[in-house]
Amino acid sequence: FFRTAFPVHRKMATRGLLLLTTALAALVTAEGYTVTYDAASQLENTYTILGTLTVAQESTGIKFTGTLTGLEPSSTGEWHVHTGTGNNACDLTGMGAPYTSPAQWSGIKWTSDASGSATFDQSVSFLTYADVLDHGVVIHLSSGTKSACAKILAASSATSSPSPSPSTPTTSSPSPS
């Protein structure tokens, strides 16, 4: 009995350990996406919002952490992921609406201190890690004005400028003979 039963229990234990390892891996945050606000991220000229947010996978959704500066001092405003992707992710005409629905984002806000700095530590349970890559994250002023937008990119990407720079005509130099 033990000779035949033990291998079954060992297989079950191995399978259980594999499942437990997989579950624990899902709980560990994978900080592989970033959202970087720079000069190219600005949608209006009242404030210059700068900084980087990290997007990490959680067991139920994703989490945004980081600090942004240049916000309205001592204020609260909305922020959310928009539906637009690619080169249009942060273009005012192509960014689309808040991802999923505006109602789901209603309680998700930033609050700045007297110097206009805000720390982000916000879980979003209704989105997954796979949902957000290449989407824009829009920061609104307390009035609702869209102030800045930056794309969610893999951390290894060099820049998160919201849209391509205006094309500059290139001229080619004659090649030496």
Side-chain angles (χ1 to χ4, degrees):
F1 169 76
F2 288 109
R3 280 188 208 186
T4 58
F6 181 71
V8 171
H9 289 297
R10 190 169 70 195
K11 286 180 185 175
M12 289 174 57
T14 302
R15 185 178 303 147
L17 183 59
L18 179 61
L19 292 173
L20 179 61
T21 303
T22 304
L24 288 174
L27 293 174
V28 175
T29 58
E31 299 184 53
Y33 294 169
T34 58
V35 188
T36 302
Y37 294 87
D38 56 21
S41 305
Q42 310 310 304
L43 299 174
E44 56 85 44
N45 295 322
T46 309
Y47 297 92
T48 301
I49 299 170
L50 303 171
T52 300
L53 302 178
T54 298
V55 184
Q57 178 70 54
E58 292 191 312
S59 60
T60 57
I62 56 177
K63 186 172 193 171
F64 290 83
T65 57
T67 301
L68 296 182
T69 61
L71 295 158
E72 294 170 277
S74 305
S75 296
T76 299
E78 296 180 354
W79 68 274
H80 41 254
V81 176
H82 267 243
T83 56
T85 61
N87 289 339
N88 294 323
C90 288
D91 180 83
L92 285 172
T93 60
M95 69 175 48
Y99 203 110
T100 63
S101 74
Q104 287 183 298
W105 290 95
S106 65
I108 299 175
K109 299 182 183 294
W110 57 264
T111 300
S112 64
D113 61 17
S115 68
S117 179
T119 300
F120 287 67
D121 187 10
Q122 181 68 54
S123 294
V124 179
S125 63
F126 52 87
L127 292 176
T128 68
Y129 206 53
D131 289 335
V132 298
L133 183 63
D134 206 36
H135 286 267
V137 179
V138 178
I139 307 294
H140 290 263
L141 300 177
S142 60
S143 65
T145 301
K146 294 173 184 164
S147 185
C149 181
K151 281 178 25 176
I152 299 171
L153 298 173
S156 61
S157 297
T159 180
S160 65
S161 295
S163 54
S165 306
S167 297
T168 309
T170 57
T171 56
S172 56
S173 302
S175 56
S177 327

